[in-house]
Amino acid sequence: MISTSATISASSIIESDVMIGPQVVIGPFCVISAGVQIGEGTIISSHTVITGNTKIGSYNQIGMGSSIGEISQDLKYAGEAAGLEIGNRNRIGRHATLHRGTAQGGGLTRIGDDNNFERGVHIGHDCQVGNATFIGENSGLAGHVVLGDESQIDAMCAVHQFCIIGTGARLLAGSCVVQDVPPYVQAGGNRASPQGINERADAFRQAEPAVREVIHYLYDLLYHQQAAIEKVRLEIARLSAEYPLLCHFNEFFLRSARGIVR
């Protein structure tokens, strides 16, 4: 079903069984395959291909020449049902590649709301991207990566499969990440190592001074005192009752399996 208020270039190909919402704009030479859903007010620039079981929310902007919802690059993929879900108000730069999931990863690549992806960004199969993240030019997430809310990845970064980038964390330009990055930690280099606290994260800047001090204290435990992870977990559990922002650390360490950057 195509809304009567949608604007679609005559040179684009729209297959049957596509749902296109009101005020959607689809530029020239696009291909939209069967099963795709595009929400209200979304703008699709020229030469973009959207395929597979792909659901795109409202008021997104997708740059020209992007490939959205293509099958994964996982060689184990055997054509099983899998999808890609994109939330609302995301800005996706030109020549982006966002792949659908696999059975091994739950069958779904998910991208939240209010994210900003620059030119040439790659989101691999089964990635779980939160809200209000930033990914710089030509950076890529391999399969199964988790990217926490408000995290920032600068240009030309690579994140290894199954890594977790915590809430409010930042990767400096040109970094290669092969282990997990805790919340609000800034990391850089090849291989990435901790470079202090990401004090630019909105949640950190808006937190009470006491909360910011606690985050610095946890960083000191992890990286200056090089405390055992179990000791840090106990400290987080003790402090979480008083400082709810530390729930991000609890969630991170419950999921972290690759070890953290050191």
Side-chain angles (χ1 to χ4, degrees), residues 17-146:
D17 193 27
V18 170
M19 295 185 65
I20 297 177
Q23 307 301 324
V24 168
V25 176
I26 298 177
F29 305 107
C30 294
V31 177
I32 314 294
S33 298
V36 170
Q37 299 179 30
I38 303 174
E40 178 179 358
T42 289
I43 299 173
I44 313 294
S45 297
S46 68
H47 298 84
T48 291
V49 176
I50 305 177
T51 187
N53 179 23
T54 297
K55 298 178 181 178
I56 301 173
S58 301
Y59 303 105
N60 296 284
Q61 298 179 37
I62 299 178
M64 64 180 182
S66 293
S67 173
I68 310 295
E70 189 54 82
I71 62 172
S72 79
Q73 295 172 311
D74 189 333
L75 296 180
K76 298 188 297 297
Y77 181 73
E80 63 269 18
L84 166 67
E85 288 186 2
I86 300 173
N88 306 314
R89 300 176 303 279
N90 296 288
R91 297 181 62 187
I92 299 170
R94 61 189 187 276
H95 306 303
T97 54
L98 280 58
H99 287 184
R100 70 184 89 154
T102 66
Q104 294 80 15
L108 185 65
T109 303
R110 182 182 288 110
I111 294 167
D113 303 329
D114 302 302
N115 298 289
N116 189 353
F117 303 158
E118 297 286 279
R119 174 178 61 89
V121 163
H122 172 71
I123 307 292
H125 60 89
D126 303 296
C127 286
Q128 306 295 310
V129 177
N131 304 312
T133 69
F134 173 87
I135 305 180
E137 290 190 357
N138 297 313
S139 287
L141 310 182
H144 307 276
V145 168
V146 176

